[in-house]
């Protein structure tokens, strides 16, 4: 038997340039597929909105790659174009992304090895990555699989934003209503969350907080509403804990 036949029958990998992708990458591609279907078109909307806001197209990949916080990026476009003071930008970013403090309590960062890897995993801890990596099916995932998942999610987002901005810069067609894309996404997520938990007080409390913020400080509705809602959830949590302790 020739040496080439022995190589084919023994299952020895082919040339280095044609080596298969690592198993963690293949698994992460399957894990992130459904999320990518949402992140990529939403990134397109972000890119188009950047150009329509009279910003240079390259700001889209900068926002997507450096800021990488979907809801904040959409808000940041308006803040940048309005020349908002840095202190207000910082306070808005803190309130919008404050939920990530609680994400860190259950995110499996201990599985990720290496200082740089952990740093990136912390930076790329988005809503989608948290939802995928803390589910029951992800309890046995390795640190590399988690990292590949986060890299792919950011890749979908950056690619969508870059293509959207490039297309909007080349085609003089204005699409109105794209700034509502993220709002629509969170409405869908809220509806799905309600269907899962059926917890009526939570959406009712959110609506009341939004209305109160609208009446009291319409110019600062978002941070005020988020602050009120967070306080309401903490108060409810304390009462629930006391009831469980008594029981």
């Amino acid at each position: 038997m020739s040496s080439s036949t022995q190589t084919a029958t023994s299952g020895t990998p082919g040339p280095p340039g044609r080596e298969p992708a690592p198993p963690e990458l293949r698994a992460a591609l399957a894990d992130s597929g459904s999320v990518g279907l949402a992140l990529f078109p939403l990134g397109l909307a972000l890119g188009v909105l950047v150009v329509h806001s009279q910003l240079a197209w390259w700001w889209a990949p900068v926002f997507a790659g450096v800021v990488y916080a979907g809801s904040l990026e959409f808000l940041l476009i308006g803040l940048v174009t309005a020349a908002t003071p840095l202190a207000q930008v910082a306070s808005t970013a803190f309130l919008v992304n404050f939920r990530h403090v609680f994400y860190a309590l259950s995110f499996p960062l201990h599985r990720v090895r290496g200082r740089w890897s952990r740093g990136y995993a912390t930076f790329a801890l988005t809503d989608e990555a948290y939802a995928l990596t803390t589910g029951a099916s992800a309890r046995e995932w390795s640190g590399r699989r988690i990292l590949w998942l986060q890299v792919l999610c950011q890749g979908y987002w950056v690619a969508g934003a870059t293509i959207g901005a490039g297309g909007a810069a080349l085609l003089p067609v204005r699409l109105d209503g794209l700034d509502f894309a993220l709002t629509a996404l969170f409405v869908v997520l809220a509806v799905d969350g309600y269907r899962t938990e059926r917890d009526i007080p939570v959406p009712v409390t959110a609506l009341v907080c939004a209305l109160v913020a609208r009446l009291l400080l319409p110019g600062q509705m978002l941070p005020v509403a988020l602050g009120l809602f967070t306080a309401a959830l903490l108060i409810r949590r304390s009462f629930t804990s006391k009831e469980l302790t008594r029981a």
Side-chain angles (χ1 to χ4, degrees):
M1 182 180 293
S2 63
S3 59
S4 60
T5 305
Q6 289 177 349
T7 301
T9 56
S10 61
T12 303
R18 296 185 179 180
E19 290 182 357
E24 295 88 354
L25 174 56
R26 295 198 301 270
L29 281 169
D31 299 330
S32 63
S34 59
V35 172
L37 292 176
L39 288 177
F40 183 78
L42 194 58
L44 289 174
L46 174 68
V48 173
L49 188 60
V50 165
V51 175
H52 286 179
S53 299
Q54 306 304 314
L55 294 174
W57 71 269
W58 49 264
W59 275 110
V62 169
F63 285 164
V66 178
V67 180
Y68 191 40
S71 54
L72 179 62
E73 290 173 53
F74 278 87
L75 290 173
L76 193 59
I77 295 174
L79 295 175
V80 170
T81 54
T84 306
L86 185 59
Q88 186 174 344
V89 174
S91 61
T92 302
F94 174 77
L95 289 173
V96 170
N97 291 327
F98 185 71
R99 64 189 185 279
H100 290 261
V101 175
F102 301 98
Y103 286 176
L105 298 178
S106 53
F107 179 69
L109 186 63
H110 61 280
R111 301 183 204 162
V112 181
R113 304 299 179 186
R115 179 182 302 177
W116 291 103
S117 297
R118 288 191 172 190
Y120 177 76
T122 303
F123 162 75
L125 179 54
T126 59
D127 299 332
E128 296 79 10
Y130 175 80
L132 290 172
T133 57
T134 56
S137 60
R139 292 175 182 173
E140 304 300 327
W141 287 8
S142 65
R144 288 190 176 185
R145 183 170 177 177
I146 294 172
L147 277 176
W148 274 121
L149 173 75
Q150 292 181 285
V151 169
L152 289 171
C153 286
Q154 187 173 15
Y156 301 142
W157 183 252
V158 174
T162 304
I163 295 174
L170 294 175
L171 301 176
V173 177
R174 182 171 183 84
L175 301 177
D176 296 323
L178 289 177
D179 52 345
F180 188 72
L182 194 66
T183 303
L185 173 63
F186 278 102
V187 169
V188 173
L189 293 176
V191 172
D192 288 341
Y194 172 74
R195 288 177 176 176
T196 302
E197 298 293 337
R198 297 290 180 178
D199 192 356
I200 296 179
V202 172
V204 172
T205 302
L207 178 60
V208 171
C209 291
L211 292 176
V212 171
R214 177 66 178 174
L215 292 174
L216 296 180
L217 292 170
Q220 302 292 331
M221 178 181 172
L222 181 61
V224 173
L226 288 173
L228 291 174
F229 185 58
T230 301
L233 291 179
L234 291 174
I235 294 172
R236 184 190 179 195
R237 176 65 178 176
S238 64
F239 280 107
T240 303
S241 301
K242 291 179 181 179
E243 292 177 358
L244 292 176
T245 303
R246 293 174 183 175

